[in-house]
Amino acid sequence: MMAPLLFTLLLPLISLPFIYLLGRKPKAAALIVTVSSILDLAFLAMTAPTVLSEGKYVESYRWIPMLGSPLTLFVDGISLSMAVITLLLIISATVFSMSYMEKEGSLREYYILMAFLTVGLVGVFITSNLMVFYFCWEFMLIPTYFIIGEWGYRESYRAAFKFFIFTHAGAVSVLLGIGAIYMLTGDLDMFTARTLLESAPPSLLEWIFIAFTLGFAVKMAVVPVHMWLPDAHAEAPAPISALLSGVIIEAGAYAILRVSFGTVFPSIMDRVAGSQFLYIISTFGVVSAFYGAMTALAENDIKRIVAYSSISHMGYVLFGLSLYPLVEGVVGTVLHLVNHAASKGLLFLCAGAVMKQTGLRDIREMGGLASKMPVTAISTAISSFSIAGIPAFACFMSEFLIFMGGFQASSMDGFFYLPTALMIVATVFSLAYVLRLFWRVFLEEPKPGKVSKLPTLMAVSMLFLSFVNVALGVWPGPVIDLIGSAELG
């Protein structure tokens, strides 16, 4: 019997002994992580026909009988989209690492941690069992902490510890929410719990909703629980920054959609508190979008600019989540998670390439690099245009759908007129900081300094993600259809 989702979850773990044995040759270890991720993509592809025809694909296994809930793995259009873009980013980051990390030590351990991280990242998106979800949630935390600390730049362990404290505090809030659901329903499956919670006390459900949303928002790094993100992104190696911004913070947004809204919110959405929660979430989305964009506009460290940009775009996502359960808003939000992952992952790899080729981080010390670094310049332009919401690049269509959802919500509830208008204004600041970044680094008057040759594997990674960004911008229909096949409300 085929069990593609179980194989998807277990394959990175199965690869660990081989990574350890071949670890003396780092590129061989990296190749194992890459091949494992490619095979995971193939396993996920096997579920796509069922997802498109039936809405979701489910596998169920006997696990811990006393919990009264099986180990359930599932994908629908939303989780399949997230799992696929996650694996594409892992492949790109691993191939990029072959050259970017080649002069670092202890690379055997680095790739072992990458494999562990793959389990956590993919597992979050392909399970409906809340306990397994929590295990995978913590699996994201621990490998990331050690990678940032050991292979980061200046004050790496300080940034890693800050990341650990913030995100683990959020995880405690999530665990309290899971415990409360189990206490009320006796079940750990998200979809079963959604039905059983309809008879639970609404006042208690409101607190559960707050616990989940707050815990996930910490991982999402929205204002005011964003303080860990700039340091962690700036200090982490570029391939891990790509995963941090491209997938890990987005897992928080996915969890809010899947658990907070998908499991708990349906039982309280018709109460006054339901509307108030949406208003609060929308407001924090607007604040995050403006704070991240304005701070990025004032920053000069190339990685911190991209990091603050992530806070801004999580503001777009949080605003999109506040439009639940409007189809345009939800589809646009999930599509933006996919598009932002591809765009921001590429932009962090480009920032890493600039740092490796020039030895600089401050954009004021750069200039005129387009002619010396053509591949990096082209890739940076593509990712920057996408982040700015320029048509024909990835993020334009997802932002457009979110704004359509905002206008639809405004026609039903006048509160959303102002947040929607403000989010449109925020796109102007997004354009401003990416244009400033690109001008300072690639187009301004050249400054003296040596530029090293871009390694081939780094170029391959950036060009691959550049292609993904253009494809998502020019032909987003298949991804929109896939997301739309899921149960959205």
Side-chain angles (χ1 to χ4, degrees):
M1 179 178 114
M2 285 301 295
L5 295 183
L6 184 61
F7 291 151
T8 299
L9 193 61
L10 293 181
L11 188 57
L13 294 175
I14 295 172
S15 70
L16 290 175
F18 300 97
I19 297 172
Y20 180 80
L21 291 173
L22 297 176
R24 291 183 179 180
K25 297 180 179 179
K27 288 189 176 180
L31 185 62
I32 294 173
V33 176
T34 304
V35 171
S36 170
S37 299
I38 292 172
L39 290 175
D40 273 355
L41 280 174
F43 289 136
L44 288 175
M46 295 170 62
T47 69
T50 304
V51 170
L52 290 170
S53 61
E54 300 178 14
K56 62 182 178 180
Y57 174 91
V58 181
E59 296 174 10
S60 184
Y61 302 96
R62 183 177 174 82
W63 187 37
I64 304 175
M66 66 179 296
L67 292 179
S69 185
L71 193 164
T72 307
L73 303 176
F74 95 107
V75 284
D76 61 3
I78 294 173
S79 56
L80 182 58
S81 300
M82 294 302 300
V84 168
I85 195 63
T86 295
L87 288 167
L88 290 177
L89 270 184
I90 289 170
I91 292 168
S92 300
T94 304
V95 173
F96 191 89
S97 295
M98 291 184 191
S99 295
Y100 188 83
M101 303 291 292
E102 63 183 353
K103 294 183 180 179
E104 301 289 337
S106 304
L107 289 180
R108 175 190 307 188
E109 290 77 9
Y110 173 82
Y111 290 112
I112 286 175
L113 290 170
M114 284 283 282
F116 273 119
L117 183 57
T118 302
V119 176
L121 290 173
V122 175
V124 161
F125 299 123
I126 67 170
T127 184
S128 62
N129 183 293
L130 287 167
M131 189 57 67
V132 179
F133 172 90
Y134 183 76
F135 288 164
C136 293
W137 190 258
E138 291 291 68
F139 249 60
M140 289 192 294
L141 170 61
I142 298 171
T144 307
Y145 168 81
F146 284 111
I147 291 175
I148 295 173
E150 184 63 28
W151 292 276
Y153 295 101
R154 297 164 296 192
E155 297 180 337
S156 57
Y157 270 106
R158 177 179 174 274
F161 186 70
K162 193 173 183 180
F163 163 77
F164 183 90
I165 291 298
F166 268 83
T167 53
H168 193 60
V172 171
S173 183
V174 171
L175 188 59
L176 289 173
I178 294 173
I181 285 183
Y182 185 70
M183 178 189 72
L184 290 172
T185 67
D187 203 293
L188 289 169
D189 184 79
M190 298 175 189
F191 301 108
T192 305
R194 172 176 173 159
T195 302
L196 296 175
L197 287 174
E198 292 175 357
S199 58
S203 58
L204 180 56
L205 291 179
E206 290 168 8
W207 283 107
I208 295 173
F209 180 85
I210 292 171
F212 275 129
T213 306
L214 180 60
F216 296 141
V218 174
K219 184 81 80 175
M220 197 177 169
V222 293
V223 175
V225 288
H226 66 284
M227 287 81 79
W228 63 268
L229 183 143
D231 291 339
H233 282 54
E235 297 304 320
I240 301 305
S241 295
L243 294 178
L244 268 171
S245 186
V247 183
I248 293 177
I249 64 173
E250 296 193 351
Y254 169 85
I256 290 177
L257 176 61
R258 183 66 76 191
V259 182
S260 297
F261 281 107
T263 303
V264 183
F265 191 71
S267 298
I268 59 173
M269 64 186 301
D270 295 328
R271 292 170 57 86
V272 173
S275 298
Q276 293 174 340
F277 285 141
L278 296 181
Y279 297 162
I280 293 170
I281 289 172
S282 179
T283 301
F284 279 111
V286 172
V287 171
S288 296
F290 274 91
Y291 172 81
M294 297 296 288
T295 311
L297 195 55
E299 264 291 346
N300 294 307
D301 184 300
I302 188 170
K303 287 195 73 182
R304 293 182 76 89
I305 292 172
V306 186
Y308 281 111
S309 170
S310 296
I311 295 174
S312 180
H313 274 264
M314 287 303 100
Y316 287 80
V317 171
L318 200 61
F319 171 74
L321 289 171
S322 74
L323 306 177
Y324 184 91
L326 295 178
V327 172
E328 289 84 355
V330 176
V331 172
T333 300
V334 178
L335 182 62
H336 197 65
L337 291 175
V338 173
N339 291 344
H340 178 263
S343 303
K344 195 56 64 64
L346 173 59
L347 194 52
F348 264 114
L349 294 187
C350 292
V354 169
M355 290 168 58
K356 187 173 183 66
Q357 289 183 264
T358 65
L360 303 172
R361 293 180 66 116
D362 193 325
I363 62 172
R364 295 171 296 184
E365 300 173 4
M366 305 175 192
L369 296 178
S371 59
K372 301 176 183 178
M373 304 164 55
V375 173
T376 306
I378 292 171
S379 299
T380 304
I382 290 172
S383 57
S384 297
F385 290 159
S386 178
I387 292 300
I390 302 297
F393 295 93
C395 289
F396 167 76
M397 184 53 66
S398 52
E399 290 179 8
F400 179 76
L401 289 176
I402 290 173
F403 296 151
M404 281 185 60
F407 288 126
Q408 185 179 347
S410 300
S411 67
M412 297 183 291
D413 186 337
F415 169 85
F416 287 98
Y417 278 116
L418 181 58
T420 303
L422 289 173
M423 291 304 300
I424 293 174
V425 172
T427 62
V428 177
F429 292 98
S430 294
L431 179 61
Y433 67 71
V434 295
L435 286 180
R436 174 177 175 264
L437 168 65
F438 191 78
W439 176 267
R440 280 293 185 103
V441 175
F442 295 104
L443 301 180
E444 203 174 45
E445 183 179 347
K447 295 179 176 60
K450 183 179 179 182
V451 176
S452 62
K453 182 180 178 182
L454 179 68
T456 301
L457 291 175
M458 290 170 60
V460 168
S461 297
M462 292 191 295
L463 290 175
F464 171 69
L465 284 182
S466 297
F467 170 78
V468 172
N469 273 274
V470 174
L472 287 170
V474 175
W475 194 33
V479 182
I480 293 175
D481 290 341
L482 180 62
I483 296 168
S485 70
E487 180 183 349
L488 300 177

